[in-house]
Every structure is written in structure tokens, then in C-alpha cells.
Amino acid sequence: MRKNKYIVLILLLLFLMYFFNIPSFASEADSIYVWSTITDSVETSSNANNNTNLTQGKESNTNSTDNKKLNNNKNLNNQNISNANLVSSAVSNEIAENNSLNLESESAILIEQTTGQILYAHNIHEKLRPASVTKVMSILLIMEALDSGKISLSDTVACSENAASMGGSQIWLDPRETLTVDEMLKAICVASANDCVVAMAEHLAGSEEAFVQMMNDKARELGMNDTTFKNCHGLDEDGHETSSYDIALMSKELLNNHSTITKYTTIWMDSLRGGKSGLSNTNKLIKTYKGATGLKTGSTGLALYNLSASATRDNLSLIAVIMKAPSTKVRFAEAQKLLDYGFNSFSFKEFGKKGDVVKNIFVNKGVISNIDVVYEQNSGTLMEKGNDRNIEQNMKLDENISAPIVAGQKLGEVSFSLNRRTVVFN
């Protein structure tokens, strides 16, 4: 009898999901997904009334006339999921089983870049040889060193005998020459230069072995549990492996937190050594695909053809990863197929930008009588195309707000609802 009741409840739940058109990125009927542009974490809660708080900003409304703006800060009691994780929706789980795009590649994934939301998945945790897509992690560590001030673009980097002996894709560094970090990055991102990435590894860590340890440490930090790096360049080596899921993770980290890398990854053709050494991008999508921003190719006899491809259109950024494609033609065609699917099926709905005024409110007993409530961070979310017509904003502000107003003081809450279901955005 109890079993029959459960069956009836499940059928009723499925009917309600269909009737109310609950969006496909919600994998549970009673869950709310929160995508944060601050921490890149994906949070879930069963509380349908989670709201975003409106609070006073950096200035207090006491003796200054410059204290007009209030900030919007999150105050959510949600179950946190590690910010290194990509969260698969019900749609992507279903697609992962069916490979509905009939991809020939052994493994593939499509994610939204800012949030990490999985939009398509095919054997995403299969451990495979990454070839030169390995360099996404090497580039990430170089960019971290640059952005932290440890190194600068104008620093000169020497070439060791070890770096010069790498083989594979290279610019034929001479142990007697030096290049700047800027030139090294250009050679690595555009020409996939193995000699340059080893020279940079030695420059940053003292040895390639020490740099590889840094790579593996960073992989653990990002939650790349399918990954073991044996080198920094990607030439075939037993035990050097990763997955399309993990490549998406490190690609997301690089693009979100070190966006200036696209200065290099979008170069089609360039040169070094005063024009004597020509460079041509190994990623052909840079020339042929609208909105392409990178990221990295890789191929060896054992790895076959790999690619992490990124693109941005209409405020929506996507990352498509292809592993073990049977040919370079298939590699680029299937990456484009994934990106096309994403751009055709999804959009990024923006609700407000950092600093946008939400409302002007009256303040009792203040030096100034009115102040603006503004967003502290950009506000928006990924959704299936067509659903943006059903978004409603709901705002609750405290009544009888009086000065003094101190920084961080909660003044109200704002939330958004989709098809009568509350969804919290930051």
C-alpha cells in the first residue's frame, strides 16, 4: 500500500513539473539553484524564499553627502557545494547517456563559462591523454604569477638545454637566447611551443619537476579528481591523464579569473624575434567561429585530437571540450557543434549591473533625505531561451528607514521568480 502511495506521489510530482514548466536547469522539483558571479560556486537550497539582501554600502548616511549608494549583498543559508565543482542539471545528465549530438569523439563537455553549469556531457570523467591541452594548467599558473606581481611581462626568461630539447611543437629556442614573459606567452598560446612552456616552468619553479608539482596541487585545489600531470607540455607519458570535465574546470578558472589571457589566445597570426619567426594559431576556430576567445589545442599519436574551445556571444560565454577526436577536422567540427547547440538553446539573462540603481528611498533624519539602493555585483543567470519572458522581480524594503545608516546594514531584500518559483541570483 505504501509503495502505491509513493508511485502516485511521483506521478503527481512529474505532472506538476510539466504543468508549471519548471526549467530544465533545476534537477529537483523543490530546489533552487544559485549561481554566484563572486565565487563561481553553485549553491542549492530547498527553501523557496531565499532572497538577496539590500544593505548600506561603504559610506554611512550621517554627515556626508557622498553616501547615496546602498549595496546588495547575499545572505543565504544554503548548502554550499565546492566552488571547484561543475554541477550537472537534469538535462545534461540525460544528454550524457544518449549522446544526442552523435559525437564521434571519445569524450566531450559543454559548460557555461561563468557559472560552470553543464549543458552537454559525453563520457566526461573518462581519463584520457590531454596532449597540449595540458598547457591550459601551465598558462593558468603563469597568469597567477603575473597577476600576483611575482613576475611581469617584461621579465626576461632564459632557455635551458632541457627546454631546448623538448621537440614537438616549438619555436626552436636557443640556450643562448632569452625572451620576455610576454613573448613566451605568445609562443605558448598561439604556437603551443613546448620549449617555451618548459622554459617558463623552470623560470617560475626552478625546475620542470617542481612546476609539475604546482600543477598537480592546483588541480587538487580545483577539484580535478580525474587528473594526474607528469609534465607541463603534454607530450605522451604514461600516467599523464585528465578528463574533459577537468579540462573544463581549469579552462573556466583561467578565463574567469585571468581574462587578459584572451589577448594571446585570440591571436590568429603574429611573429617573434623581430619578425623572423612567424606564428600561426593552432586553434582554427579563432578565424572561423564568431565570438571565439580561445583556448587550446592538443594532439599526439596516442592522444589523438583534443581541444578546449571558448566563445562569447550576446553576454553568454561557453566552453566546449573535445577529447580523442579521430581527426583534426572532427575535433573542430564537433567543438563548433557543441558551441552552436549552446548558443542556440540558452541565453544569459541580465537583471542588473554592479552599481545599477534598484530604487531611490527616503531616509528619516538624514543629512540628505533620499539615497539610492544599488546592486553590489552583477545580477543575472543562465536560462533556456524563451523563459526570460516569465521573470518577475520582487523587492521588500524596510519601512521607516532612519539615519544613521552604517555600512553593511540590511535594508531589505530582492528576489526574482521564474514561473512563480523563487530563484536567487547574484
Side-chain angles (χ1 to χ4, degrees), residues 91-92 95 110-112 117-121 318 341-342 346 382:
V91 168
S92 58
I95 293 173
L110 176 70
I111 69 168
E112 195 278 321
Q117 179 72 21
I118 297 177
L119 307 180
Y120 190 95
L318 302 175
Y341 164 75
F346 301 91
L382 176 74

Side-chain angles (χ1 to χ4, degrees), residues 285-293 311-314 343:
L285 295 184
I286 295 300
K287 185 177 182 181
T288 62
Y289 195 79
K290 178 184 175 183
T293 58
T312 298
R313 293 181 184 176
D314 299 324
F343 287 125

Side-chain angles (χ1 to χ4, degrees), residues 201-212:
E202 293 170 343
H203 182 74
L204 283 173
S207 68
E208 182 184 358
E209 292 75 19
F211 187 80
V212 171

Side-chain angles (χ1 to χ4, degrees), residues 204-233:
L204 283 173
S207 68
E208 182 184 358
E209 292 75 19
F211 187 80
V212 171
Q213 184 60 55
M214 291 170 59
M215 295 171 67
N216 283 309
D217 290 345
K218 189 66 179 181
R220 299 289 83 76
E221 178 187 328
L222 294 178
M224 296 170 58
N225 298 322
D226 305 325
T227 298
T228 301
F229 292 116
K230 296 289 187 178
N231 59 60
C232 64
H233 42 72

Side-chain angles (χ1 to χ4, degrees), residues 155-188:
D155 289 350
T156 56
V157 181
C159 173
S160 67
E161 293 284 354
N162 178 50
S165 69
M166 278 300 103
S169 301
Q170 59 183 312
I171 63 166
W172 296 278
L173 281 177
D174 190 297
R176 295 166 294 182
E177 76 173 318
T178 61
L179 293 179
T180 65
V181 171
D182 177 68
E183 292 170 320
M184 288 286 188
L185 264 177
K186 187 184 297 183
I188 295 167

Side-chain angles (χ1 to χ4, degrees), residues 11-151:
L11 291 174
L12 179 60
L13 179 61
L14 291 173
F15 172 79
L16 289 173
M17 290 177 68
Y18 176 80
F19 181 80
F20 287 108
N21 191 28
I22 294 174
S24 61
F25 50 73
S27 61
E28 300 291 342
D30 61 348
S31 292
I32 300 166
Y33 284 84
V34 182
W35 296 291
S36 170
T37 58
I38 302 172
T39 64
D40 296 331
S41 65
V42 184
E43 303 171 342
T44 180
S45 170
S46 61
N47 178 3
N49 294 313
N50 279 325
N51 296 318
T52 300
N53 291 340
L54 302 175
T55 65
Q56 164 65 3
K58 296 180 180 179
E59 305 294 338
S60 63
N61 184 19
T62 53
N63 299 317
S64 171
T65 58
D66 296 328
N67 50 14
K68 295 182 179 180
K69 291 188 176 181
L70 307 182
N71 287 327
N72 154 327
N73 292 325
K74 66 177 182 179
N75 183 15
L76 307 173
N77 295 317
N78 293 331
Q79 175 188 357
N80 293 323
I81 297 176
S82 169
N83 63 2
N85 293 335
L86 302 176
V87 176
S88 177
S89 70
V91 168
S92 58
N93 282 333
E94 181 181 349
I95 293 173
E97 297 173 0
N98 296 333
N99 187 21
S100 60
L101 293 180
N102 298 315
L103 302 181
E104 296 180 53
S105 301
E106 185 72 19
S107 175
I109 191 171
L110 176 70
I111 69 168
E112 195 278 321
Q113 178 184 304
T114 303
T115 64
Q117 179 72 21
I118 297 177
L119 307 180
Y120 190 95
H122 170 55
N123 294 336
I124 63 174
H125 289 292
E126 183 174 353
K127 295 181 180 180
L128 299 167
R129 297 173 185 262
S132 280
V133 180
T134 298
K135 294 185 178 78
V136 172
M137 179 59 81
S138 300
I139 295 167
L140 172 58
L141 295 181
I142 294 171
M143 292 304 296
E144 285 187 344
L146 275 169
D147 290 346
S148 68
K150 181 179 179 180
I151 59 175

Side-chain angles (χ1 to χ4, degrees), residues 341-401:
Y341 164 75
F343 287 125
N344 290 335
S345 303
F346 301 91
S347 64
F348 189 87
K349 175 65 176 177
E350 184 177 73
F351 301 105
K353 294 182 179 179
K354 180 179 179 180
D356 283 355
V357 176
V358 180
K359 189 174 182 179
N360 183 272
I361 62 173
F362 176 77
V363 178
N364 294 313
K365 303 177 183 179
V367 175
I368 55 175
S369 59
N370 290 79
I371 54 178
D372 291 330
V373 178
V374 304
Y375 288 111
E376 182 185 42
Q377 298 292 337
N378 294 337
S379 178
T381 190
L382 176 74
M383 61 176 54
E384 291 186 15
K385 284 191 172 180
N387 274 340
D388 57 341
R389 297 187 300 271
N390 304 319
I391 289 288
E392 295 180 359
Q393 176 180 294
N394 306 292
M395 182 167 52
K396 296 180 180 179
L397 289 172
D398 294 343
E399 297 180 359
N400 300 320
I401 296 173

